[in-house]
Amino acid sequence: MGKVTGFLEIDRREAKYQPASDRIRHFREFTLPLPDAEVANQASRCMDCGIPFCHGPNGCPIHNQIPDWNDLVYNGNWEEATRNLHSTNNFPEFTGRICPAPCEEACTLNLEDVPVTIKTVEQAIADKAWKAGWIKPEVSAHRTGKKVAVVGSGPAGLAAAQQLARVGHDVHVYEREPKAGGLLRYGIPDFKMEKHYIDRRVAQMEAEGVTFHYGANVGVTVPLDELLENHDAVLMCGGSEAPRNPELPGQELEGVHYAMPYLVQQNRRLGREDVSNEQPILAAGKHVVVIGGGDTASDCVGTAFRQGALSVHQLDIRPVPPLKEDKLAVWPYWPTKFRTSSSQAEGAEREFAAATLGIEGKKGRVTGVKCARVDLKRLPIEGTEFSIRADLVFIALGFVHPLHEGMLSHAGLSLDRRGNVQAGDGDYATTVPKLFAAGDMRRGQSLVVWAIREGRQAAQSIDTYLMGTSVLPR
């Protein structure tokens, strides 16, 4: 521990944002990085706890060695901090930008509401490493002669593919879309993470021997049986894509959309992909209502403001959470408390304890959303109905399971009771020989850190399956 009294002497300081009035005029990232000296100060606040809850299973699923690289940054050894960080996390520049940082909620200093700015330090290490040229392709010195297919190039698929290539396997990634990244590229808005970070990692992985096949929709244009026949193992990392359907009256009206088609289209537009064959979904000059209170809903809010929405309302069936949690009751777990995302802070009107009763419209076009207040059981309270004007409505209520059509319907494997792929927690093996599954497709919708963890662990399991033993970490 570099500075024993750091947490007493130095105040928590987070990276600032561009003013909302400026950042809604563009789709670029708007976080203003801290200077290296201030990052080192923030790293010095780490107390090197005897039991570091920050990288326990609830704090950091990929088990980043947070006290170690905080100490290295404080002492100016950024290059060693880079090596330490990458020993557990293949893509810290991703997680440093889009992870909600459960590690900070689990920090001992969070008992006083001043946790170490772990996420800020992590991003600073990764960005500095790329700028300094410390991150290079790690090409295996030997080839195993084994061939592995990875279906899907989201965070789980990318992490697994990189790990498998680095131990000498011939890895082929099959991606349905024209570019790699999955939800990272097509779901996460550019203002949260610009896509050149993904391109840079893909180039690194190609140099390490990974082959990417784009426009390959396994189960539709590429038979799964063909992959199983031509590879020694196949890992499915297709994500959780089936949206939760509220079955609202009026949901069929023009102007009502699920969240993901909206976010995907805008990301394609910014990525200069051809969207001319799609009906444009644009919020410019419109009153927008977003149904749902999660991260995807928040991404719709920020995107709508940048497209020029006149107003944005966000509906959340949950009651207003407390401003502050009871630390002794919930720490070090993720608490339920009032949070305001950067997108919500740009001017969203938030309605809590609000159930959506239906979509109102005229001549086949949406005109409003009918709502009601709910009781503690989330049931509508008679006499509390109200309507919100809407020209555009987005349904952002999460995802129930992976798409069953195509690859899964042809696989002949077992699903769990939630409709996810049934695969072991230890070996990630499905009920079909040679076929493995990891990420949201297996565990259900979750965080990018869980996807990276599952991808890394699945790679270790596949390597053991193919070689009898593995040097890859669990």
Side-chain angles (χ1 to χ4, degrees):
M1 186 163 128
K3 190 172 181 61
V4 177
T5 57
F7 70 97
L8 295 172
E9 299 173 9
I10 299 170
D11 292 333
R12 173 183 165 92
R13 182 183 171 192
E14 299 178 78
K16 296 185 181 298
Y17 296 153
Q18 291 178 358
S21 57
D22 293 339
R23 66 182 189 249
I24 63 170
R25 300 177 185 275
H26 62 78
F27 277 89
R28 300 182 303 277
E29 291 182 17
F30 52 79
T31 300
L32 306 175
L34 296 176
D36 285 357
E38 183 55 41
V39 174
N41 276 340
Q42 293 303 305
S44 78
R45 298 182 64 246
C46 180
M47 302 197 306
D48 194 18
C49 304
I51 300 177
F53 291 97
C54 60
H55 65 86
N58 302 301
C60 182
I62 46 179
H63 303 307
N64 280 339
Q65 300 170 80
I66 294 164
D68 298 55
W69 43 256
N70 272 326
D71 180 62
L72 290 165
V73 167
Y74 169 67
N75 284 293
N77 197 342
W78 289 78
E79 188 171 2
E80 182 60 29
T82 297
R83 286 191 286 269
N84 187 298
L85 179 54
H86 280 84
S87 71
T88 58
N89 185 355
N90 296 68
F91 314 118
E93 68 274 28
F94 300 171
T95 54
R97 284 172 164 80
I98 61 175
C99 181
C103 53
E104 294 190 18
E105 295 291 351
C107 177
T108 302
L109 284 174
N110 191 40
L111 288 168
E112 296 294 330
D113 292 314
V114 287
V116 176
T117 52
I118 300 168
K119 180 177 174 179
T120 298
V121 177
E122 178 182 27
Q123 181 183 334
I125 295 171
D127 288 349
K128 188 176 185 69
W130 278 105
K131 187 175 181 180
W134 297 330
I135 300 176
K136 299 175 181 178
E138 299 178 23
V139 182
S140 175
H142 70 283
R143 309 304 298 174
T144 65
K146 301 294 185 179
K147 190 176 180 182
V148 182
V150 177
V151 181
S153 64
L158 290 177
Q162 185 167 63
Q163 294 292 96
L164 289 164
R166 286 178 174 177
V167 290
H169 300 306
D170 181 16
V171 181
H172 291 256
V173 177
Y174 293 83
E175 171 54 52
R176 179 187 62 198
E177 302 297 339
K179 298 178 183 178
L183 189 69
L184 293 170
R185 182 181 297 275
Y186 293 103
I188 302 294
D190 272 30
F191 57 81
K192 291 176 71 173
M193 189 180 79
E194 295 175 11
K195 303 310 181 285
H196 58 85
Y197 297 110
I198 304 171
D199 298 334
R200 193 167 58 182
R201 282 295 182 183
V202 169
Q204 179 197 32
M205 291 173 64
E206 288 176 332
E208 292 170 345
V210 178
T211 303
F212 287 84
H213 304 267
Y214 298 114
N217 192 347
V218 177
V220 179
T221 62
V222 178
L224 178 61
D225 288 345
E226 183 179 299
L227 293 190
L228 288 168
E229 181 180 347
N230 296 329
H231 296 79
D232 297 291
V234 176
L235 173 62
M236 300 187 301
C237 299
S240 181
E241 296 185 87
R244 180 170 283 106
N245 184 357
E247 299 181 351
L248 297 170
Q251 196 171 307
E252 75 288 346
L253 290 168
E254 183 182 351
V256 181
H257 306 271
Y258 283 111
M260 288 312 298
Y262 174 57
L263 297 175
V264 169
Q265 185 183 95
Q266 180 58 27
N267 279 323
R268 290 193 194 281
R269 192 177 287 120
L270 291 173
R272 299 183 179 179
E273 294 184 25
D274 184 12
V275 295
S276 60
N277 62 338
E278 301 178 22
Q279 182 68 30
I281 311 174
L282 296 167
K286 296 177 181 177
H287 297 281
V288 177
V289 173
V290 181
I291 302 172
D295 291 337
T296 301
S298 184
D299 291 343
C300 289
V301 170
T303 301
F305 278 129
R306 281 159 181 77
Q307 289 183 345
L310 295 177
S311 68
V312 181
H313 283 76
Q314 185 176 0
L315 303 178
D316 195 331
I317 198 170
R318 298 170 297 183
V320 179
L323 293 177
K324 185 177 178 180
E325 73 274 27
D326 181 351
K327 301 287 187 185
L328 296 182
V330 299
W331 181 86
Y333 299 98
W334 182 263
T336 297
K337 63 180 177 181
F338 192 85
R339 305 172 192 270
T340 301
S341 72
S342 59
S343 293
Q344 291 164 340
E346 290 163 0
E349 294 289 336
R350 302 169 70 183
E351 296 281 354
F352 289 96
T356 305
L357 302 182
I359 312 296
E360 300 172 324
K362 290 182 180 178
K363 298 180 180 180
R365 176 84 198 174
V366 61
T367 59
V369 179
K370 186 177 181 181
C371 312
R373 299 299 172 193
V374 297
D375 57 23
L376 295 178
K377 295 182 179 180
R378 299 186 180 180
L379 298 175
I381 301 172
E382 188 175 351
T384 64
E385 295 83 5
F386 63 98
S387 292
I388 299 175
R389 179 180 176 182
D391 307 306
L392 196 58
V393 175
F394 298 117
I395 300 170
L397 297 174
F399 306 90
V400 290
H401 51 63
L403 296 177
H404 292 164
E405 300 79 10
M407 180 170 62
L408 296 188
S409 63
H410 296 149
L413 45 69
S414 297
L415 304 176
D416 66 18
R417 59 183 178 82
R418 296 180 299 161
N420 298 318
V421 175
Q422 184 176 315
D425 289 330
D427 59 10
Y428 293 88
T430 71
T431 52
V432 175
K434 294 173 54 175
L435 188 60
F436 299 77
D440 287 5
M441 176 169 271
R442 188 195 80 93
R443 69 177 287 113
Q445 63 173 8
S446 191
L447 304 178
V448 64
V449 281
W450 275 106
I452 293 173
R453 169 183 171 153
E454 295 222 344
R456 286 170 62 90
Q457 291 189 333
Q460 194 268 356
S461 175
I462 291 171
D463 189 35
T464 302
Y465 167 77
L466 295 176
M467 308 303 295
T469 185
S470 178
V471 297
L472 290 173
R474 271 297 287 172

